[in-house]
Amino acid sequence: MWSPDEIASVCYNHFNKLPKRGKPEADREWTLLAAVILLTDSSDQKTVHKQVVSLGTGTKCIGQSAMSMKGDILNDSHAEVIARRGCVRYLTEQLYRAVSGQSSDVFCPGTDKGKWTIKPGVSFLFFSSQTPCGDASIFPMTGSQAQPCEPVKAIQDEESERRGLKRHAESELEETRRGPVMKTSDNRSSCRKSGDADEHEVITDNKEHNQLNEVSHYQPNVKKGPDLHRTGAKCVPDGPTDPLEPGLLYHNVGVLRLKPGRGDRTLSLSCSDKLARWGVLGFQGALLSHYLQGPIYFSAVVVGKGPYSHQAMQRALKTRCSHVRGLPSGFSVRAPEILQASLEFTHNHTHIESKHTHTRGRISPCGAAISWCAVSQQPLDVTANGYKQGVTKKALGTVQARSLISKVELFHSFLKLVAATEDSQLPETLRGKDLRTYWDYKQASGTYQQAWTQLRLQAFPLWLRSPRELLLFY
């Protein structure tokens, strides 16, 4: 039906056709690419149509102190996150078309009133030009491979560096320990079922479950022993830390990690962690879940040519969540097929390094992030430092500076979808409720929040969430 190389080729060709704006400088800058592909079976099911519906590039993250209470800054501009957010924008428009009586390439009416489901023969595939950052990128090096990124450095005052993030995590975990009520992913209180394990049991099980990889069993020769591919993402606060010992004992595996950022630490979980989350909750998010019969999962994840370990990908995206139970109806642990293509992205770090000459200056990551999605208006969105590229300092904080895939812009698109829905067809979760803020609408998506509660309790108890005050915009 399709091959990994076909998928990679479709994505690279699509990128090459985009305008120059936001692309890396030739032979000096590098970036990462990710995309969501819509697969549609032919009527005879012998062929499949492949369409890129969202594409993203980027390598940067915003530090915690730069996050906005208006929801108008992109906190995480890694390519995988950009591609997923662009796909949410695409799905929102497709739902708008459906509720407005227009034709949709994706949705058809579901069995529940006001709900929609994916059309028969339609599925989504995720592509990344490189192994996702975080846990999936930790695996033994082979042969004479070069270290793809700067090793994580031991910082003497790392404990003090973590304090700001630890306070938030500790307060959430303490509330869980106090009694039969726990907070969900967005601090919504909900009763725990009698069959749930307590927090201590979950953490203990999670640590045992994290002994998943042959890495922890190696006893390397310090002088000439094998080494690991390393990640710049640091372990989340209040959990296992990296030993930072030589060779194969440098990193812990199977743990949640935060992406590095400029200046202070970020609250952005690694792309490995986010892909694992999407494999249980779906990639549609809480808002669109109001309208959907069930979550939307990626049927496959394809990685481009480069350092890669199928075992590490399995561990990071599948095994860590495989034991999760008690999910609400429609949700499940949906393990995508994991494949690698033999085609390399010509703008990735290793390719640029192989062609680089000193006369071109130092190799550096591209500062811009590109979002393209298959929508009818303004499909291209280029950002830098969380805002639209090229905006002046005077314009920061204005509507003109916002990315079209920022939280507030996606929220406003969702509100237009709600406004376009006839009262008689409005999903039950949106009827007769006083909903105003982004936070309100996310919390009202009850089934999604229940699933997120179970995932966090059983697999990711240390997952950091944005403070509530950053989600009260409207």
Side-chain angles (χ1 to χ4, degrees), residues 94-127:
Q94 289 293 313
L95 278 170
Y96 184 93
R97 293 178 62 85
V99 302
S100 303
Q102 306 173 55
S103 63
S104 169
D105 295 332
V106 179
F107 298 109
C108 62
T111 55
D112 295 344
K113 188 175 182 180
K115 295 286 189 176
W116 299 83
T117 189
I118 299 294
K119 286 183 173 182
V122 168
S123 61
F124 291 90
L125 179 152
F126 191 82
F127 174 80

Side-chain angles (χ1 to χ4, degrees), residues 90 171-172 181 197 266 270 272 282 288 318 406 414 431 456:
Y90 166 77
S171 64
E172 291 182 342
V181 175
T266 77
S270 75
S272 293
L288 295 189
K318 295 184 179 183
S406 62
F414 175 77
R431 293 182 203 162
R456 184 170 181 269

Side-chain angles (χ1 to χ4, degrees), residues 25-28 355-363:
E25 182 183 329
D27 298 332
R28 194 186 70 81
K355 292 180 169 295
H356 181 68
T357 62
H358 292 294
T359 58
R360 298 288 299 172
R362 186 171 61 89
I363 295 176

